[in-house]
Every structure is written in C-alpha cells, then in structure tokens.
Amino acid sequence: MSDRPGGWTDDNRDDRYGRGSDSAQPEGARVMRHVQRHPAPPQQRPAPPRQYPAPPQQRRPEPPRYSDGYDDNAGYDNGYSSGQVYGGGNGGGRGYGGGDGGYVQGRPAPDWRRRIKIGALTVVVVVLAVSIGTYFWADSKLKREVDLSNVIERPGEGDGTNYLIVGSDSRAGMSAEDKKRLHTGSAEGKRTDSMMILHDGSNGPTLISLPRDSNVEIPSYKGSDSGKLYPARGRFTKLNAAYAEDGPELLVRTVEFNTGLHIDHYVEIGFGGFAKIVDAIGGVELDIPKAFKDKNSGADFQAGKQTLNGEQSLAFVRTRYAFAGSDLDRTKNQQKFLAALASQTATPSTILNPFKLYPTMGAGLDTLIVDKDMSLWDLGNMFFAMKGVTGGDGKSMNMPISGSTGGNLVWDKAKVKQLVQQLNDDEKVTVSSN
C-alpha cells in the first residue's frame, strides 16, 4: 500500500510528470489533473511620496548700477546678474557686454537733434512773447494827442517820410527841485526850444534845423480846440510864436505853408523826459571842441571828450547866449547831441539789456507827444534815421538863411524851394546852409 496520494506507487514512476525516460524519444504529454487557481489579488501601487512646495529661489543681489544720466533704470551691468562675462558672447545682460559692444537691452541713446529743435522752438516762442508784450506795453504809453487832420490846405505828399521833431520847454511833471536843478525856470505853459525836420528816404536821412527865431508868416488855420477858422492877416513873426499861439497843429500848418513840404508825423519831447532818457542810458559821450559857460542854461563845459548826464545834456542843447551865432549855433549843437543820443542808444548793450531798455523806453515814452497816426514802427524808423545822420549815411544842416530883420532870421527862398524839391523827389540833398 502506498502512502502517496492518488494511489501512485514506485511501479508507475514512469508516468510521473517530469521524470526522464529511457526512450530516445521525449515523453509525451501526460494528462495532468486540473488545479483551479484563484486570481491573484490586484497589485497595489505604492503611494507616491508627499509633495512639498519648493523653497523660494534665492536671487543673487544685483550689483550696483551706474546711471547714464537719463534714466535711473538704465545703467551699466557687470554681467553677474545673468552669468554673462563682460565683453563675451550674446548674453542677456542689460548693459554693455553684447557681442556688438553697444547697448543690448538698455534705453536707446537720446535724440539730440530732436532736443535741439525743441529747445530752439522754445527760445523762439519766448522771444516772440516778450517782443509782442513789449510792443503793446510801449504802444500803450504813447500820448497820441496831435490831430493832423485839423491842419488845413496841406501840400501834396512827396517820396519818403517827413517828421517834425520838437523839443519843448514844458515843465509838466517836474518838481520845484527839478526845475531848479535843470535851470528851467518856472514859466507857465510851454514853448519850443528846438524844431527840426527829419526826412527819411532812399538817399539817406536829412536833418534840417528850423531856428526858433525864423521869420515866418502865420497862415489861415483852424483852431485846435475851437475848430474855428482864423483867416490869414499877413502877419510875420518868429516861428516859435506859432506853437505858443495854438500848439502843434498851428506849428505844422505854419511850417508846411512856409516851406511847401508835407509833414507826415509830429514828435515832441519836454525837458523832463529828455533828461530822464539820457540818465537811463548812463549818459551821452560828446566831444566838445571849445569850452563854454552860460549861467542862463547852467552850462559849464571844458573842451574834449566827456560823458554828459541828463542835467548837463539839457544845458548843452539849450545854450545860445554863449555863442556868437546864438540860435544858429545852438541848433548845430542840438543836431550833434540828438544824433549822438540815437547812436549810443541803438546799441546791443541797451537793446539786449532789459535793465537799460525798459527804463530808457519808459522815460522817453512817458513824455513823448505824437500825432494820432504815429505807430511804434514809425517811431522806430525815425529813431534809426536819426542815428544814420551820424553814421555817414545822412546829412545835417540848418534851413538856408539869407539875412535878418534885426531880430528874426530870414530864409533864403530860392534855396528853400530847391531843398524842398529835392526832398519831395527823394533825391540826394545838395543844398547847403550857407
């Protein structure tokens, strides 16, 4: 009896699975008892390890940057922030270090051409604004009080522009101390101390002095205030009497009637304004050929070059009793001084210096009296024409005189007619005073 399961014995060992055989042929497949197998339980995957957030990446401190002068964020980078070695490769450094040796990612170089254009435009706008403001300020200060439309029976206009320039002895606005200092006296009203015709034309300016003692005929005229017509009476008197009788309008009417020359503009300045202009520009330099003294005007001058202040200048242009030629010599000094004043005022040191320009303009404009049609442009043209008289482009002279009546100076009618014809035709003046 075998103790093996299924009754297997050693006698049938040949039939057991896996036992060798003496036969040369392999053993055939034996039928094996079916053994039921249960499926293996599903394989369990190991749980994934617990995920922890990555620690924040520590950034290296950026090296100090150096401003290029335009933006605090645009500077030079030494390359450490990106691992870039200065000067090598095509790294992403923000400063220098690119292969091309220039800015890689920084702010582009400034556009200097654009900045210069903007700067120039700003300067032009400022200059225009100041110029326009100055123009309207100065224009508002002009006293346009003379109405030349009241002048009747006027001669025809010629070529060029004729200004009648009058220096009056008006003391308006002057204190008692000013009158004493300037030796003006205290007479009421005003008279003319000087009268000149300035012709500005294509052949240069011509300045003609009209002596206050000139013997002239007072023509018919219309009263400046009343509008009443006054007929001519054949009355001859000194030229400055016309101004004293009915002011600027009658003076213009008398000059036009006795010369035949059309007056386009009238300009008048008083004592006080004259002295203030000179002081505002720091004085006027003159070369006085011969010493003279006059107690009436306060003049006391030595010969030679010297700078005259306002008080001295007024004394210089008013003096006549110290000269043999009296009023004729005085008119020559007046021409000389006014031309020097214009020449020394129209300089860059005055025009471009607001601390001199505005006081000078203010002093002159405050006391100027002009005709109603006078503009600042006309006044500027007159001023530069006056300067041209001493610049070699013009001529200065007295009205030609033929004699006197004992107290009044008589004009040379033939020469006056020729002079006026040359002025009207805007020709070069060849007539002389003598």
Side-chain angles (χ1 to χ4, degrees), residues 124-315:
V124 170
V125 171
V126 170
V127 170
L128 285 176
V130 172
S131 301
I132 293 173
T134 300
Y135 181 90
F136 284 104
W137 167 78
D139 187 74
S140 67
K141 296 179 75 67
L142 277 180
K143 298 178 180 179
R144 297 181 173 91
E145 300 177 358
V146 180
D147 189 358
L148 295 183
S149 65
N150 288 331
V151 180
I152 62 175
E153 301 176 12
R154 309 192 68 185
E157 297 183 12
D159 295 330
T161 305
N162 299 314
Y163 302 87
L164 180 60
I165 303 172
V166 174
S168 76
D169 63 359
S170 172
R171 298 157 180 82
M174 297 175 61
S175 65
E177 182 179 352
D178 290 335
K179 293 176 183 179
K180 181 178 180 180
R181 177 174 59 88
L182 298 176
H183 301 273
T184 64
S186 300
E188 295 298 327
K190 60 180 181 179
R191 287 156 294 277
T192 55
D193 255 24
S194 62
M195 290 161 284
M196 303 177 187
I197 294 174
L198 174 64
H199 174 81
D200 184 21
S202 58
N203 280 292
T206 302
L207 185 62
I208 307 164
S209 287
L210 308 176
R212 58 178 287 178
D213 293 339
S214 297
N215 192 57
V216 294
E217 181 181 356
I218 302 297
S220 60
Y221 67 95
K222 183 169 68 173
S224 57
D225 292 329
S226 65
K228 179 181 177 180
L229 288 175
Y230 294 88
R233 295 178 301 200
R235 177 166 55 98
F236 284 82
T237 185
K238 293 181 179 181
L239 181 59
N240 66 338
Y243 182 93
E245 186 171 330
D246 198 52
E249 286 86 353
L250 179 55
L251 178 62
V252 171
R253 166 71 174 138
T254 303
V255 169
E256 289 187 340
F257 177 80
N258 286 270
T259 63
L261 187 68
H262 182 91
I263 300 299
D264 297 292
H265 293 292
Y266 177 91
V267 181
E268 177 186 329
I269 188 169
F271 281 164
F274 182 83
K276 287 179 180 178
I277 291 175
V278 174
D279 287 334
I281 66 170
V284 174
E285 185 180 52
L286 278 183
D287 187 0
I288 299 177
K290 185 178 179 180
F292 64 90
K293 188 175 183 179
D294 181 16
K295 65 178 182 179
N296 292 292
S297 65
D300 187 1
F301 297 104
Q302 300 299 317
K305 288 186 177 181
Q306 49 202 289
T307 299
L308 279 58
N309 60 25
E311 177 182 347
Q312 294 169 324
S313 299
L314 188 57

Side-chain angles (χ1 to χ4, degrees), residues 8-46:
W8 285 31
T9 64
D10 290 338
D11 293 336
N12 58 5
R13 285 178 300 184
D14 300 342
D15 299 328
R16 289 183 300 169
Y17 177 79
R19 179 176 176 81
S21 174
D22 293 336
S23 176
Q25 296 297 326
E27 295 184 29
R30 294 182 174 90
V31 177
M32 298 182 66
R33 184 172 51 183
H34 177 70
V35 180
Q36 186 175 6
R37 297 180 183 272
H38 297 283
Q43 186 177 1
Q44 295 183 357
R45 295 181 181 178

